[in-house]
Amino acid sequence: MTKTILRALAGETLPVPPVWMMRQAGRYLPEYRETRAKAGDFLSLCYNPDLAAEVTLQPLRRYGFDAAILFADILLLPQALGADLWFETGEGPRLSTITGQADLARLKDRDAIHETLAPVYETVRILSRELPKEVTLIGFAGAPWTVATYMIAGRGTPDQGPAHALKAADRATFAALIDLLTEATIDYLSAQVEAGAEVIKLFDSWAGSLKGRDFDDFAVTPAARIIAALKARHPGLPVIAFPREARGRYVGFAKATGADCVALDNSVAADWAAENVQRDGCVQGNLDPSLLVTGGEALVTETRRIVKAFSNGPHIFNLGHGITPDADPENVHRMLTAIRG
């Protein structure tokens, strides 16, 4: 095993942590903006295998990251299940809504997703051929709770209020939606692995709004089901879980779900996470993305501090959330120099 990401995920402590960035293919790069313009719109880019592979490769050429993550979107799965999906310029995604059992019944069966998602699998195949041999290919999906919040509200919301409301008013319908998304996510991610993905990442971006028993039922349990099924189908497959803003619930999350690595947001201190989360295995994170906007000595100092905090165990360096469109590409070089020397 020579790929540094895979070594870290297997529990090895490396002298220099491997590094990649969430949303590393994105609007902060001029070459990405040019390719997206060529595609016409965001969804057309996601469903064009040649162009999606191109934008996945662009940050590798510029920075030499240790991993590439498939360029796609977590909302392609609900679209494949029959939800209407479009993007409003400057406002983000819009979907048809799930407000009750009748809406849920109109969705397709999990077996129907692959026709829509076939271009995504082709992107993975292209990348598995074209990536440098030392670079790890990461596939991904949104976790059921996070995807459900968009499907219920029809858009992103600051507090996931519509999803919490449906959960309280009609728990049976809500649970059925989570179950459908869990099973469909297993099939979607398994197809990515069959196409060439070497690692899977499960993004639960809104996990932090689940409290108490709800966190166990709708963040931990679906992740555990997905990871167990993937590992049964693909023995040895490493999985990274990202229950964003889980705070104290990061502790024990790897053991509870079977994840090989827990990705951390930047609301938790690296020193605390090293003591309480890294003891169970690999952690990923957790630089504040805003430092790639402001740069300066604060970027270098914080990058080195995080590397040092996690230096006694397996660590993949990453951001605490995705890089933002206003980040300075030169600051990424500064970050990498601080990590690699």
Side-chain angles (χ1 to χ4, degrees):
M1 188 186 298
T2 58
K3 296 185 178 185
T4 54
I5 294 279
L6 298 181
R7 289 167 64 187
L9 289 169
E12 186 175 345
T13 302
L14 300 169
V16 177
V19 55
W20 66 281
M21 297 191 309
M22 289 182 277
R23 294 187 190 151
Q24 63 189 26
R27 288 176 287 170
Y28 74 105
L29 291 177
E31 56 266 43
Y32 169 88
R33 296 194 296 269
E34 292 173 10
T35 307
R36 178 166 169 170
K38 186 185 301 183
D41 59 62
F42 178 72
L43 283 175
S44 297
L45 178 56
C46 290
Y47 285 122
N48 183 316
D50 290 328
L51 295 183
E54 167 60 21
V55 295
T56 304
L57 291 165
Q58 286 169 352
L60 273 294
R61 299 187 192 115
R62 185 183 276 254
Y63 299 117
F65 288 122
D66 296 295
I69 186 165
L70 165 71
F71 183 83
D73 190 270
I74 65 169
L75 299 182
L76 302 187
L77 181 60
Q79 186 177 40
L81 285 167
D84 296 328
L85 172 64
W86 67 100
F87 282 76
E88 294 286 351
T89 303
E91 296 184 15
R94 298 289 185 270
L95 297 95
S96 51
T97 57
I98 304 293
T99 59
Q101 177 58 37
D103 298 321
L104 180 64
R106 283 192 286 270
L107 294 178
K108 299 177 182 177
D109 185 78
R110 58 187 275 198
D111 297 332
I113 65 173
H114 301 299
E115 180 178 358
T116 299
L117 296 171
V120 178
Y121 309 146
E122 179 58 23
T123 301
V124 176
R125 284 189 284 270
I126 293 170
L127 290 168
S128 67
R129 296 193 301 266
E130 296 192 7
L131 279 175
K133 67 181 187 309
E134 69 275 10
V135 174
T136 301
L137 178 55
I138 302 173
F140 77 94
W145 159 251
T146 288
V147 175
T149 67
Y150 287 95
M151 295 180 75
I152 294 164
R155 59 192 299 167
T157 55
D159 59 359
Q160 297 76 61
H164 286 292
L166 181 63
K167 172 165 57 67
D170 188 353
R171 201 171 181 89
T173 294
F174 178 82
L177 176 59
I178 293 291
D179 188 62
L180 172 62
L181 288 171
T182 299
E183 296 301 322
T185 301
I186 292 166
D187 292 344
Y188 178 37
L189 291 173
S190 184
Q192 291 184 32
V193 175
E194 290 166 4
E198 301 168 276
V199 174
I200 289 299
K201 183 166 181 183
L202 195 60
F203 286 86
D204 209 349
S205 301
W206 302 124
S209 72
L210 290 168
K211 308 300 179 188
R213 177 66 182 272
D214 282 348
F215 187 89
D216 294 312
D217 289 347
F218 301 122
V220 174
T221 297
R225 284 176 58 190
I226 291 166
I227 292 168
L230 289 173
K231 288 179 175 288
R233 295 186 190 186
H234 310 283
L237 174 71
V239 179
I240 304 168
F242 184 32
R244 180 171 168 256
E245 296 187 349
R247 300 175 182 83
R249 297 303 302 268
Y250 278 125
V251 180
F253 195 85
K255 286 186 175 180
T257 61
D260 301 274
C261 182
V262 176
L264 305 163
D265 68 85
N266 51 281
S267 71
V268 295
D271 290 336
W272 174 86
E275 181 178 351
N276 294 285
V277 185
Q278 195 181 32
R279 67 187 182 190
D280 290 336
C282 184
V283 293
Q284 179 179 283
N286 66 333
L287 184 71
D288 186 340
S290 69
L291 288 169
L292 294 176
V293 180
T294 56
E297 189 58 33
L299 166 62
V300 174
T301 300
E302 182 64 6
T303 297
R304 289 174 176 165
R305 191 187 70 78
I306 291 169
V307 170
K308 183 179 180 181
F310 291 125
S311 62
N312 293 321
H315 176 220
I316 299 168
F317 193 97
N318 207 308
L319 309 181
H321 198 35
I323 187 170
T324 56
D326 55 344
D328 182 347
E330 286 305 307
N331 283 333
V332 180
H333 284 298
R334 295 183 184 101
M335 178 192 75
L336 290 171
T337 300
I339 296 166
R340 294 169 171 169

